[in-house]
Amino acid sequence: MSAFQIEGGHLLSGTIIPQGAKNEALQVICASLLTSEPVTISNIPHIRDVMNLIQLLKDIGVKVVEDEYSTYTFTADNLDLKYLESDEFVQKCAQLRGSVMMIGPLLARMGKAIISKPGGDKIGRRRLDTHFLGFERLGAQFNHVAERNVYEISASQLKGTYMLLDEASVTGTANIVMAAVLAKGTTTIYNAACEPYLQQLCKMLNKMGARISGIASNLLTIEGVEQLHGTTHRILPDMIEVGSFIGMAAMVGDGIRIKNVSIKDLGIIPDTFRRMGIKVKEEGDDLFIPRMRHYEIQSFIDGTILTLADAPWPGLTPDLLSVLITVATQARGSVLVHQKMFESRLFFVDKLIDMGAQIILCDPHRAVIVGHDRKLQLRGGRMSSPDIRAGIALLIAAMSAKGVSRIDNIEQIDRGYENIEGRLNALGAKIQRI
């Protein structure tokens, strides 16, 4: 297994370009299964999760051509149905969280899908009930085969219906939308997720011939069509990587420009960092973060301690809370972070505490961070990355720390960030892959 060795204390400066969005890529790549015609997708990030999904599509018979770097054409005109039912396919799905996004397209086009409980980050329970309840509402039947630990889902003809989702699940909404576009009749999804990446998926499907209205709201209406055709699509910049770079610039930056970020699709991310006292300047479609010798956390209007909590879009994404916690360790003031969605995502803070951060872990969902105001520098140490987002947060902490740090299990970071050490070293970091 690989590790990062980081020499802390070096200021970073220059320009960095965010990669394509991981979460959007997983959705739109799976959407190519809905048609037998070529679908060309650009700005695909070369990260472990996405490359593994592309390989999985190749395994089931999808023709994949890399037209140029980050641009691929997918043609799903001859799928291997036998392989889709094999134990080998099931085992590969179990190692990849994004594999769950294949269920909707396969069910819509092939009438059945067999898939294992997908893998991914170890950040607590991530249930699939929303996906299956939605498929059932569309007329599918599913069965859990315990001896193989797989889900068998089938439907001779999906039928449009009204449904109120039990939670605004992004992957659940995307999966149901991809199933509903080929269903007979009209499907109405209330309490739908409305993240920019889901909006992108819906726009792409409409270009393929789908009829989806209500995009960007939590009420989607899908009029089923008989078939979809090919299209071209460009993936948005990754908002989580943009947020990670803002946090990095605050901690160890000497003036960093984050280029071509699609500001209109960042939601409240820039303002959340501003509430942490960080200057985030918008220049065209770029963000510029000057050197922050000090930054002070704002309080609420009544003087009480600031609370940052994750919420469905347009609320604050849970994927940035790890970075915000790390940034808060060197701020002036205190903040309460409330992680509502996952019960294990805050457990990485013990590694920050070992580095000298002042953090009180109240329970699995809440932590209070007391900022050092840069009077006490974090110290280097050895740690392991438990998930993608904690991994990048620990990398930022290590770059700001005194001495040399080592981060093990960086395969987790590679799942979400493309060539991160090369891109940061170009700005002045000292990171070595060992």
Side-chain angles (χ1 to χ4, degrees), residues 279-416:
K279 294 179 182 177
V280 182
K281 299 181 179 179
E282 298 180 7
E283 299 178 358
D285 205 28
D286 300 350
L287 297 179
F288 180 75
I289 295 86
R291 184 173 180 181
M292 301 299 303
R293 298 181 185 275
H294 299 277
Y295 48 96
E296 184 171 357
I297 298 171
Q298 297 178 8
S299 299
F300 286 122
I301 293 175
D302 62 1
T304 54
I305 183 173
L306 177 68
T307 298
L308 297 179
D310 56 339
W313 185 271
L316 179 63
T317 171
D319 286 344
L320 278 176
L321 289 184
S322 300
V323 172
L324 288 162
I325 288 171
T326 301
V327 170
T329 65
Q330 294 303 313
R332 178 183 296 155
S334 302
V335 61
L336 169 65
V337 171
H338 191 173
Q339 163 62 268
K340 298 177 181 178
M341 296 188 186
F342 306 109
E343 61 266 22
S344 303
R345 210 164 205 172
L346 293 186
F347 289 164
F348 87 102
V349 302
D350 63 342
K351 299 172 178 63
L352 294 178
I353 293 171
D354 289 342
M355 297 176 77
Q358 294 184 329
I359 303 174
I360 302 167
L361 186 60
C362 308
D363 55 44
H365 293 277
R366 295 178 299 163
V368 175
I369 304 94
V370 181
H372 292 161
D373 192 21
R374 299 198 189 274
K375 294 176 182 177
L376 180 63
Q377 189 178 8
L378 296 177
R379 54 181 176 268
R382 184 165 182 171
M383 59 205 91
S384 180
S385 172
D387 65 76
I388 299 174
R389 308 310 175 186
I392 199 68
L394 292 174
L395 183 60
I396 293 170
M399 287 192 293
S400 75
K402 182 179 181 180
V404 176
S405 299
R406 175 178 168 132
I407 302 178
D408 295 313
N409 195 28
I410 60 169
E411 286 78 11
Q412 287 284 9
I413 300 175
D414 290 337
R415 288 180 49 222

